[in-house]
Amino acid sequence: MSLDLNSTAAQIESMVVDLQARQGERVRRVESAFIALNEFQLDRYLDISNESQGGRYRIVPEILEHPSSVYKPDLPPGNFRVVSSDGSHIEVDRHLAVRCFLINVGVSALTYGDYPNATLYSVPRLYAAQEDLVISEIATGRQQSIEGAVLGAKRAVAEVSILAEEASGLDSNTPSIYLVDGSLVMMGLVGHGYHDFVLRELIEDGFIKSMNHIRDFSENRSFGLASYISMPAHSDVVNALNVTGCVYPIKDSNLRCDNSSFSTNPCEKCISGVLDRDIFWKLLKPGERSSVFGVNSPVVENHYLGTGITFFYVNVGTEIGRVEMPSWVSDNRSSLDLVHSLIVDQCERGRGYPVALMEAHEQAVVGVSDRRNFVQLVEQVLHKKGSDVYTSEKARSKRLRWL
Amino acid sequence: METDKKCEDVSNVLGMVLAGSLTEGVRIKLASNVSTEQIKVGTFVSIRGELMRFFGVVTDVSLDSMDSSLTSIPPDVTNPFIHEVVSGTTVYGTLTVEPMLTLGDDKDPTSSLEGPLPAKTVPAHFAEVSIASETDIEFIFGKEDESHFYIGTPLDMETKLCLDVKELVKRSNGVFGKSGTGKTFLTRLLLIGILQNSAAVNLVFDMHSEYGWKGSSEDNKEVKGLKQLFSSKVAVFSLDEESSRRRGLTPDYVAKIGYGEIEPEDIQLLRETMGLSEVAAESSYNLRQRLGPQWLRDFLNLKSEQLLELAQEISVNERALSTLHNRLSRLKRFDFINESDKNDSVKQLLHYLERGMHVVLEFGRYGNSLAAYILVANILTRRIHDRYVYLKDRSSVDGIGEPRPVVITIEEAHKFLTPGIAGQTIFGSIAREMRKYNVTLLVVDQRPSGIDEEVMSQLGTKITCLLDSERDVNSVLSGVSGSRKLRSVLSRLESKQQALAFGDALPMPVVIRTREYGSSESYRELGWKDDRELAQQVKSDVEDLFGPDTS
Amino acid sequence: MDASADNGNRSSDLVGVSKGNYASTISPFGEIVEASTTYLLAQCHRLYAAPSLGDLVRTEEDSTAFSVVADVSTKSIDPSRRPLAMSQGEDTVDDIYNRHPQISRLLSTEISLIVVAHKADGKLFRYLSPVPTKIHAQVSICQFEEVRELTMSLEFLSVLITSSVGSPDDVVAAFLRTASVSHPDPKKFLVDAGKHIAAILAGDVHRLNALLRRIS
Ligand SMILES: Nc1ncnc2c1ncn2[C@@H]1O[C@H](COP(=O)(O)OP(=O)(O)O)[C@@H](O)[C@H]1O
Ligand SMILES: [Mg+2]
């Protein structure tokens, strides 16, 4: 996945809190936030958030039940399956006259219970054909080359689509969950001025289509689809607390507390810089999850074709993780409970991180030497085909090989 | 049959040739399944060379290892498996084998018809070595037949090993060994061999009366003499009839010697035995000259005062003469000496011998007197020799048949053949002149070092049992090739019934276990028939002549 | 790696190849992943389903190569990922594998093989083939008769003894012990083989002792 700038900014801010404020200050703020959480007035919040409904951005979550609610996990079923995918990519455009890239998606399918089994594999795909390298709108002839955040999104699509393939092969009634790494919200594509056709192609015709495939296969089954975010730097719930608790006026534009530089002007009640995971670490005991929140995001609103994205926080023993799901999962209480219980179980088996995700990642990673081999392979093939592929980089390294 | 033989071959493989030379012998590495303890010095081996087969004798057995550090850090032989593995590989036994003969091409049977030849080279590297087979032994030493007499078995083998009797009687031979080692038993066998082969006739000066009628073994059991086994071919002469009769024998002839038959030379031979000085012995020649053929009788009849006179007359030292008189008077005690000049003992003897009869002269009680033995043996041998010289010369002139070869057996041979006198005595001449006059000697002695070296070197075949002293060993082996190795073999003989035989009658030196003699089984093997068998034989002979008795 | 291989009954994986006894039917247990004329590395099709040390195996393609199992190792397929200790309390090894099914996919059992002989045109040669076995060639355990035929003569023993793969003495000892059973007189076979070894190790009594003790 490409870098999620929003969460990056929040992380930096939290880092600033860590660095600038003494530990005591931070503890105090987390304490305040925790009190705010318990004193949270759902009615008031719904009012305020409805008021600002007309605003351009709504980055406070949808809260349906009191955020201090706590759920214990069910015991995992006797037999179950966890299928995960993760991807990595190699971009080789910088050194080659010919541009191309490779996406390698790793998959792990782990079966537990009476017949334990594991299937691990990876599917590498090279994108080199002209039509592979761009996203184009046939009607207008506009093109968007696949690189940067678009490539990241393309990879996320590949990850989910391979899970859809896995799900289609599913023939048993074994309870299963499908897990991807990172967020289900493709925030990376927001705010870079990408044309709609790019978002449509990647999200509507890619990401959502694959998720819907999975949904279709999952009908009448004990089933779940989710993404797992380790060390989540989100502050959605904290923002919601701010909306109802901060003494400073909320800036109309982004509902943010004005007093972000609390070191210069400390505020008794200010909870800025506190992350969701900080308060849920206090709230949740190992295995427990929070209530389910809804993501309020224009991307989801505009491009997810009606599928909402929801999330909860869960104490996996060593940390608070954030689990995101399509709404059709969280709307089904048994699916939700399955996701909760199996993620807790996965983290237990995986020393704090879902095993299936870790293995998928291991399958996906392309090592440095593989990366080099891949570049060389591409060069060789191109060279054979008669095109002079030597780049300046390559030529230089050739020269340097003298001893 | 074919496969049987193969199996036998495999189990007999001892090892392979590794190194060596003709002079030092070849070194054999023992196969891992053969322990040094199984192989004795003197064992016959056959070596399959590339072009021919070699026949040799083990002369040394030693232990070796591939790595000298093994002696300081021995392998873990407490573990039986390791012990089995290591022996024969890391540590192994070696043999030194003296290649003696070559047998021609193994694959071409006709080539071995030539018979064994002395080995003039060594087998090639890694040639396979095995214990000699029965067939090998038979092929080399001959199969038991008229001219090959079974004398004993090779060490650790049951094969009959034979002497070539025809070769044996061509020259004088010797049987040696310290007292009690089996000389007499061996000699008895040799005599039988000669007798059965009829290549020659025997004349035995039987000092201790062991050959004629009966002898005794160490455990005081009687063993049969020649007369008992071959009565029709053997005549026993006796000097002591009484003793012979006492022992159950009626001698064919009671031998007497007349004083007139004693010559001064005989006195010479008695010098040492009778303690005569040179001067005294020499004076017998003067006496002979002065007194004529009956010199001894007349001399012994002289009174002491007459001696003085005689001494002056023949100008010899008076005292010497009286000593001589004194000593020779002892001869009067020998009853077989008489004053008659009509004794025909020699004539009878020759008569028997010429008829092909083997004669044993028993000494009876006189066997205890060396003087009697020397005197009689010397006188008779001289007379026989004279006769043979005459017959032989005449045969070449007249073209009539040669006299039948005679083998004269003497015990205590060194008394006749001491270096000082061997040059003059009749025995010395016989030994030296070989078979010129068809007379040869079989000398039996426990002290071969006392025998003149030249005589020793003239002996064709020597069979020696264990010897006492280095000097005796030296004298037996002197002039024999490979004597160093034979010496080690000789010194390791058992104290009884084992002998080292070498010389003309054998293609190569060999250690034998002397054939058993004394059991009825052994007699039967030698062709003797007991009374019942004899009766049966007579009956069948009669039937052959007249047809079955139908009455 | 065969991702779809059934891992249903993992405990039978552990005894997938009957230990020390030469099979009566040939079914490949692994595949060559590294090859030279003298040395082969094979990967087992199933985790831990390796033949025993000293077993004689064959690789089949144009000609048959015979080699001896000199080392068996199981380790992480990815050299940068090390297995971590996992057991909790009274866990058995099977419990751990059941709780973490992916582990058996991330480990592989490899077998180092010392090439000792080859067969071409139906003829057995007790020395190296001039060309190495190909990568991905299937490896199977030799049958009883093949073991006997090969060990009729032991001139290739020095190759095993002088090899530096694994612990050569144990390899030789295990090889001989296993092969001995294929001969009518196992004791005699071992003694003869021992004598072979004694000749090769002349000058190194310590090693000879040690090796022979392993055989006896
Ligand atoms: N060939 C043999 N057969 C049986 N016994 C023998 C044989 N050779 C030697 N002996 C035994 O050894 C003893 C000594 O042998 P003998 O010939 O009297 O010795 P020597 O004449 O050398 O003094 C005999 O009494 C006999 O018991
Ligand atoms: Mg990822």
Side-chain angles (χ1 to χ4, degrees), chain B residues 32 66-67 69-70 73-76 79 81-82 84-87 89-90, chain C residues 187 190-191 194-195 198-199 202-206 208-209 212-213 215-216:
Chain B
S32 58
M66 283 170 89
D67 174 12
S69 72
L70 275 179
I73 323 158
D76 179 11
N79 180 322
F81 176 75
I82 296 186
E84 191 173 352
V85 165
V86 161
S87 39
T89 49
T90 328
Chain C
K187 171 95 198 310
L190 288 179
V191 169
K195 287 180 186 296
D204 191 350
V205 190
H206 286 304
L208 181 65
N209 272 339
L212 292 181
R213 252 182 244 123
I215 296 175
S216 59

Side-chain angles (χ1 to χ4, degrees), chain C residues 36-52:
Chain C
S36 73
T37 44
T38 55
Y39 170 85
L40 301 172
L41 184 70
Q43 214 172 55
C44 286
H45 289 322
R46 292 196 293 172
L47 187 64
Y48 300 129
S52 303

Side-chain angles (χ1 to χ4, degrees), chain B residues 28 99 110 121 128 164 184 203 229 358 381 383 396 452 476:
Chain B
I28 312 288
T110 53
T121 180
E128 184 185 277
D164 186 338
T184 303
L203 168 57
L229 294 181
H358 303 264
T381 303
R383 302 286 295 276
S396 57
D452 181 60
V476 169

Side-chain angles (χ1 to χ4, degrees), chain B residues 179-185 217-218 496-497 514-517:
Chain B
S179 169
T181 50
K183 292 186 299 297
T184 303
F185 275 63
S217 69
E218 208 141 74
K496 206 161 276 167
Q497 223 182 323
T514 315
R515 177 177 182 173
E516 185 68 36
Y517 185 90

Side-chain angles (χ1 to χ4, degrees), chain A residues 134-202:
Chain A
V134 293
I135 296 169
S136 40
E137 190 179 35
I138 296 137
T140 60
R142 277 186 298 197
Q143 287 195 333
Q144 167 66 49
S145 79
I146 302 176
E147 53 191 343
V150 178
L151 178 55
K154 176 100 184 158
R155 202 179 86 186
V157 171
E159 288 172 10
V160 181
S161 85
I162 215 162
L163 286 186
E165 267 169 50
E166 270 287 319
S168 69
L170 197 70
D171 55 0
S172 76
N173 279 318
T174 314
S176 312
I177 63 164
Y178 286 68
L179 270 184
V180 291
D181 186 26
S183 180
L184 292 181
V185 184
M186 300 186 94
M187 294 293 269
L189 293 176
V190 178
H192 296 283
Y194 293 122
H195 278 284
D196 251 20
F197 73 90
V198 175
L199 299 178
R200 255 200 323 276
E201 158 116 14
L202 288 173

